[in-house]
Amino acid sequence: MSNLPHEPEFEQAYNELASTLENSSLFQKNPEYRKALQVISVPERVIQFRVVWEDDAGNVQINRGYRVQFNSALGPYKGGLRFHPSVNLSILKFLGFEQIFKNALTGLNMGGGKGGSDFDPKGKTDNEIRRFCVSFMTELSKHIGADTDVPAGDIGVTGREVGFMFGQYKKLRNQWEGVLTGKGGSWGGSLIRPEATGYGVVYYVEHMINHVSEGKESFAGKRVAISGSGNVAQYAALKVIELGGSVVSLSDSQGSLVVTGEKDSFTPAEINTIAALKVERKQLTSIINDAAFANKFKYIEGARPWTHVGKVDVALPSATQNEVSGEEANALIAAGCRYIAEGSNMGCTQAAVDVFEAHRESNKGAAAIWYGPGKAANAGGVAVSGLEMAQNSARINWTAEEVDARLKAIMKDCFDNGLQTAKEFSTPADGNLPSLVAGSNIAGFRKVVAAMKDHGDWW
C-alpha cells in the first residue's frame, strides 16, 4: 500500500480498530475475519468535486467537496457533512470509517459515510453561505437519496446550511424526501435532534458510573470537565447540570474557560449565553471581560482545559479529534478523573487511549479510569438522525419524550453491547473493568462484516 498517500487521521482510526481486534480472541475464534478487515477498510465509493460559488463582491470562489460512501451493508450511507478549512480526504475517511461501527452499535439500519468541504462558514454572510450550499448540493444531489445516502450536519453545518441544501435538493429532484437529517422542526426534523449527541454521551457515562458503583452513584456531586462550546458540549453540560453534576470547563479553538471556585459550576443561563455567542460565530474571548464571567471564571488562552481544571470526576472531550494527549491523560488521572467518554470523534490521541487502558488494566474497579470511545459514547446524535429518518418515512412526528426514551434505550444498548462483547473476546483480569474500546470495536465490526458476508462482499 506504499503507493497510497499518507492519511494520518484515517490510519490512526484504522490502527486503533485493528489493534483491538488483534489483541482480542476474535481472530482466533474467527480467522476468516482478517480478510473481512481488509475489505471493510476500503470505501465502497469516494466522490470528490469542485464547488464554484460567488461571494458578495461578485468574485468567483472555488472549494473542494467530498462524500466518502464507506459501507452500506446495514443500510443507506449515513454520516455528517463538515464545512471547515481543515477538511481533507484523510479526515473524512477517518470519520466515515468510525461512522460504520458507530451506526452499527445503534441497532438501526444505517451504513457509514462522511462528507463535506474545505469551505469556512465563519465570516461569510447568509447569502454567501446560501450560494455555496446551492452549488455544493447541485453536485452532491447526484449521489444521495433517502434510500441511498442520508447526510446530516457536522462542524460548520447548522440548521441554516441544512435548510439551504434541502431546498436545493428538492428543486433539483422535484420531490420531498428525508434526504438530510437535522432539518427544521416544521419540515421534517425530529425533536431532541440538536440535543442528542450531548445528551447521549451523558446517558452513556451514567451507565458507566452505575456499573462501577453498583447503582450507588450517579452524576450527582460529580465535577465534570468538558471541552468545546458547540452543540455537543452545550447540551452535555446542560444534561450534567440537570442530573446534579457541576460543569467546570468549556473551550473553543482559542482557549478554555474554567471555573475558579472549587464548588462553582457553569449555570444553564451561562451556557445559553455561550450558545447565543456561537450562533453568531464568535469566540469565548468576546465575553471573558464581562463582569458576570470575569468574576467567576479564568480564561486560559491557547490551551485545552484538561490540565487547568483541578480535581474532576468525569471528562467529556467534545470539541474535535485528538484533543487529549498522553500527557493530558496522565494529568486527568492525577486529578482524580475516573470516567472519560468522547463526545467528539476520536477525541483522544492513541497515546491517551494507551494511558487510560494501561491504568484500567493495572487498577481494580473504581480505582481505575474507565474510557468510553466515541463510536459508542457519542452515538446519540446519529441514533436520533436514524429516528428522524424513520419518522420521515412514516410521515409522522414523535414527541420529545418518546424520542428521548428511544435515545436512552439506544445508549443503554450501546453500553451493554460493548460491555458484554469485551467480556467475551477481551476478558479482563479478575476485578478489572472490561475494555469498552475493545468491546465496542468488536461488537460493531462483527455486526457489519456478518452482513457483508451474507451479501457476498467477502467469503
XYZ file of all heavy atoms in Angstrom, residues 194-203 219 224 226 228-250 265-276 316 318:
356
model
N -31.113 18.260 18.045
C -29.979 19.124 18.399
C -29.294 18.699 19.695
O -28.085 18.824 19.850
C -30.623 20.514 18.536
C -31.870 20.434 17.729
C -32.362 19.029 17.886
N -30.076 18.173 20.631
C -29.533 17.803 21.940
C -28.896 16.415 21.965
O -28.198 16.059 22.914
C -30.663 17.811 22.987
C -31.358 19.155 23.187
C -32.579 19.351 22.293
O -32.642 18.706 21.224
O -33.462 20.150 22.649
N -29.147 15.605 20.929
C -28.957 14.157 21.032
C -27.540 13.710 21.337
O -27.324 12.829 22.174
C -29.450 13.481 19.753
N -26.534 14.280 20.679
C -25.162 13.819 20.917
C -24.732 14.156 22.336
O -24.153 13.317 23.045
C -24.188 14.443 19.900
O -24.681 14.235 18.582
C -22.813 13.815 20.032
N -25.004 15.381 22.774
C -24.637 15.778 24.133
C -25.375 14.993 25.197
O -24.786 14.520 26.164
N -26.688 14.854 25.019
C -27.459 14.050 25.963
C -26.968 12.599 25.965
O -26.822 11.978 27.019
C -28.949 14.062 25.575
C -29.729 15.291 25.969
C -29.103 16.457 26.416
C -31.120 15.297 25.878
C -29.836 17.574 26.761
C -31.866 16.424 26.220
C -31.230 17.555 26.654
O -31.958 18.664 26.988
N -26.714 12.069 24.758
C -26.350 10.665 24.638
C -25.055 10.325 25.351
O -24.959 9.280 26.008
N -24.053 11.188 25.250
C -22.777 10.886 25.911
C -22.940 10.890 27.427
O -22.334 10.090 28.144
C -21.662 11.848 25.441
C -21.847 13.260 25.960
C -20.295 11.323 25.857
N -23.821 11.757 27.931
C -24.081 11.783 29.372
C -24.846 10.528 29.797
O -24.537 9.919 30.835
C -24.840 13.064 29.766
C -25.244 13.034 31.237
C -23.972 14.294 29.483
N -25.832 10.108 29.003
C -26.552 8.865 29.313
C -25.590 7.672 29.328
O -25.706 6.775 30.168
C -27.660 8.611 28.286
C -28.792 9.614 28.299
C -29.548 9.856 27.144
C -29.122 10.332 29.440
C -30.597 10.760 27.139
C -30.164 11.247 29.440
C -30.893 11.459 28.291
O -31.934 12.371 28.294
N -24.446 11.075 38.521
C -23.744 12.330 38.251
C -23.843 13.307 39.428
O -23.078 14.274 39.493
C -24.309 13.002 36.993
C -23.556 12.655 35.738
C -24.040 11.699 34.875
C -22.368 13.284 35.421
C -23.357 11.370 33.714
C -21.672 12.977 34.265
C -22.160 12.011 33.407
N -17.352 17.798 36.449
C -17.238 17.327 35.067
C -16.528 18.385 34.221
O -16.987 19.529 34.130
C -18.635 17.026 34.471
C -18.499 16.486 33.052
C -19.381 16.033 35.358
N -15.527 19.587 30.528
C -15.995 19.437 29.148
C -15.179 20.371 28.268
O -14.936 21.529 28.621
C -17.493 19.783 29.025
C -18.336 18.858 29.919
C -17.963 19.676 27.581
C -19.822 19.199 29.933
N -14.811 22.086 24.270
C -15.724 22.522 23.227
C -16.771 23.462 23.798
O -16.948 23.577 25.024
N -17.476 24.138 22.904
C -18.587 25.002 23.322
C -19.661 25.027 22.247
O -20.515 25.904 22.239
C -18.091 26.429 23.605
O -17.321 26.922 22.526
N -19.599 24.059 21.359
C -20.612 23.928 20.328
C -21.777 23.094 20.797
O -22.004 22.907 21.999
N -22.509 22.575 19.841
C -23.741 21.860 20.119
C -23.561 20.729 21.132
O -24.301 20.612 22.108
C -24.275 21.299 18.792
C -25.745 20.997 18.828
O -26.545 21.858 19.146
N -26.103 19.773 18.515
N -22.567 19.867 20.900
C -22.365 18.694 21.763
C -22.035 19.131 23.181
O -22.629 18.660 24.158
C -21.258 17.783 21.196
C -21.047 16.580 22.107
C -21.603 17.322 19.787
N -21.069 20.031 23.303
C -20.635 20.479 24.630
C -21.765 21.177 25.385
O -21.958 20.954 26.593
C -19.441 21.412 24.490
N -22.525 22.014 24.696
C -23.605 22.757 25.357
C -24.637 21.819 25.968
O -25.002 21.954 27.149
C -24.296 23.678 24.352
C -23.473 24.824 23.833
C -24.090 25.438 22.591
O -25.303 25.353 22.365
N -23.266 26.065 21.759
N -25.105 20.858 25.178
C -26.186 20.005 25.672
C -25.676 18.949 26.649
O -26.416 18.541 27.551
C -26.946 19.378 24.511
C -27.823 20.392 23.811
C -27.560 20.802 22.511
C -28.904 20.970 24.475
C -28.362 21.742 21.881
C -29.701 21.915 23.859
C -29.430 22.304 22.568
O -30.223 23.245 21.955
N -24.424 18.533 26.503
C -23.844 17.655 27.516
C -23.778 18.399 28.854
O -24.129 17.851 29.911
C -22.453 17.193 27.090
N -23.355 19.649 28.806
C -23.259 20.443 30.029
C -24.621 20.633 30.684
O -24.769 20.488 31.908
C -22.622 21.794 29.712
N -25.627 20.959 29.876
C -26.971 21.172 30.428
C -27.510 19.889 31.064
O -28.152 19.931 32.124
C -27.917 21.670 29.334
C -27.659 23.098 28.835
C -28.487 23.387 27.591
C -27.957 24.122 29.932
N -27.253 18.741 30.436
C -27.749 17.478 30.986
C -26.999 17.121 32.268
O -27.614 16.626 33.227
C -27.617 16.366 29.947
C -28.152 15.006 30.387
C -29.629 15.039 30.801
C -30.572 15.282 29.652
N -32.000 15.132 30.068
N -25.699 17.362 32.323
C -24.927 17.103 33.548
C -25.493 17.921 34.706
O -25.697 17.409 35.821
C -23.434 17.440 33.330
C -22.692 17.516 34.672
C -22.773 16.391 32.441
N -25.760 19.198 34.445
C -26.309 20.066 35.493
C -27.680 19.567 35.932
O -27.993 19.526 37.134
C -26.367 21.522 34.991
C -24.952 22.062 34.759
C -27.128 22.408 35.979
C -24.903 23.353 33.965
N -28.508 19.177 34.958
C -29.837 18.645 35.279
C -29.742 17.417 36.185
O -30.577 17.214 37.074
C -30.560 18.274 33.981
C -31.954 17.689 34.172
C -32.541 17.182 32.864
O -32.326 17.820 31.816
O -33.225 16.132 32.887
N -28.700 16.618 36.003
C -28.533 15.387 36.785
C -27.762 15.602 38.090
O -27.437 14.641 38.772
C -27.827 14.326 35.928
C -28.607 13.859 34.691
C -27.757 12.903 33.857
C -29.919 13.184 35.091
N -27.458 16.864 38.408
C -26.855 17.161 39.697
C -25.360 17.321 39.701
O -24.745 17.479 40.771
N -24.723 17.286 38.530
C -23.279 17.464 38.461
C -22.885 18.918 38.301
O -23.733 19.789 38.069
N -21.590 19.187 38.412
C -21.040 20.525 38.219
C -20.170 20.527 36.969
O -19.303 19.668 36.820
C -20.180 20.933 39.427
O -20.944 20.965 40.612
N -20.388 21.481 36.090
C -19.583 21.627 34.876
C -18.521 22.675 35.145
O -18.839 23.821 35.473
C -20.458 22.023 33.682
C -19.603 22.295 32.446
C -21.476 20.928 33.382
N -17.252 22.293 35.010
C -16.167 23.189 35.425
C -15.399 23.798 34.251
O -14.536 24.648 34.475
C -15.190 22.460 36.376
C -15.919 21.985 37.618
C -14.492 21.291 35.677
N -15.685 23.393 32.998
C -14.949 23.986 31.873
C -15.729 23.862 30.578
O -16.525 22.943 30.386
C -13.584 23.311 31.698
O -13.729 21.955 31.285
N -15.485 24.820 29.695
C -15.850 24.774 28.287
C -14.684 25.419 27.534
O -13.852 26.106 28.139
C -17.156 25.514 28.011
C -18.450 24.895 28.568
C -19.619 25.855 28.387
C -18.762 23.554 27.913
N -19.880 26.099 39.347
C -20.255 25.389 38.132
C -20.838 26.385 37.146
O -21.385 27.419 37.543
C -21.310 24.310 38.439
O -21.869 23.767 37.251
N -20.695 26.084 35.868
C -21.484 26.813 34.886
C -22.959 26.644 35.230
O -23.379 25.596 35.730
C -21.245 26.246 33.481
C -19.966 26.699 32.823
C -18.767 26.053 33.084
C -19.968 27.756 31.938
C -17.590 26.452 32.478
C -18.796 28.169 31.310
C -17.601 27.517 31.586
N -23.735 27.672 34.950
C -25.184 27.593 35.126
C -25.832 27.458 33.743
O -25.215 27.796 32.719
C -25.729 28.861 35.801
O -25.521 29.980 34.916
C -25.035 29.100 37.142
N -27.075 26.990 33.694
C -27.761 26.939 32.398
C -27.803 28.296 31.700
O -27.655 28.369 30.475
C -29.165 26.449 32.773
C -28.940 25.600 33.987
C -27.855 26.316 34.756
N -27.979 29.368 32.461
C -28.027 30.703 31.854
C -26.696 31.051 31.198
O -26.662 31.631 30.100
C -28.384 31.745 32.911
N -25.593 30.705 31.862
C -24.271 30.986 31.287
C -24.024 30.154 30.026
O -23.439 30.634 29.051
C -23.191 30.716 32.339
C -23.197 31.753 33.459
C -22.524 31.286 34.742
O -22.192 30.073 34.852
O -22.336 32.119 35.640
N -24.471 28.921 30.048
C -24.327 28.074 28.855
C -25.172 28.617 27.717
O -24.746 28.625 26.556
C -24.689 26.616 29.191
C -23.657 26.044 30.164
C -24.762 25.753 27.935
C -24.066 24.762 30.833
N -26.364 29.106 28.024
C -27.218 29.692 26.988
C -26.598 30.962 26.396
O -26.743 31.242 25.198
C -28.605 29.990 27.556
C -29.396 28.726 27.843
O -29.157 27.688 27.233
N -30.320 28.800 28.777
N -25.903 31.734 27.234
C -25.189 32.913 26.733
C -24.114 32.499 25.740
O -23.948 33.114 24.674
C -24.553 33.690 27.903
O -25.581 34.180 28.764
C -23.719 34.859 27.394
N -23.381 31.445 26.080
C -22.332 30.941 25.189
C -22.949 30.368 23.912
O -22.407 30.542 22.811
C -21.465 29.904 25.929
C -20.634 30.609 27.005
C -20.568 29.128 24.962
C -19.913 29.679 27.955
N -24.088 29.700 24.037
C -24.764 29.149 22.858
C -25.146 30.273 21.890
O -24.968 30.148 20.667
C -26.002 28.367 23.278
N -25.668 31.387 22.437
C -26.034 32.529 21.592
C -24.801 33.112 20.916
O -24.845 33.527 19.747
C -26.732 33.596 22.438
N -15.256 14.936 29.483
C -16.002 14.719 28.244
C -15.391 15.569 27.128
O -15.809 16.714 26.899
C -17.479 15.090 28.429
C -18.249 14.367 29.527
C -19.676 14.911 29.627
C -18.272 12.863 29.299
N -15.318 17.113 23.832
C -16.479 17.311 22.943
C -16.222 18.381 21.892
O -17.155 19.054 21.442
C -17.705 17.702 23.785
O -17.989 16.718 24.749
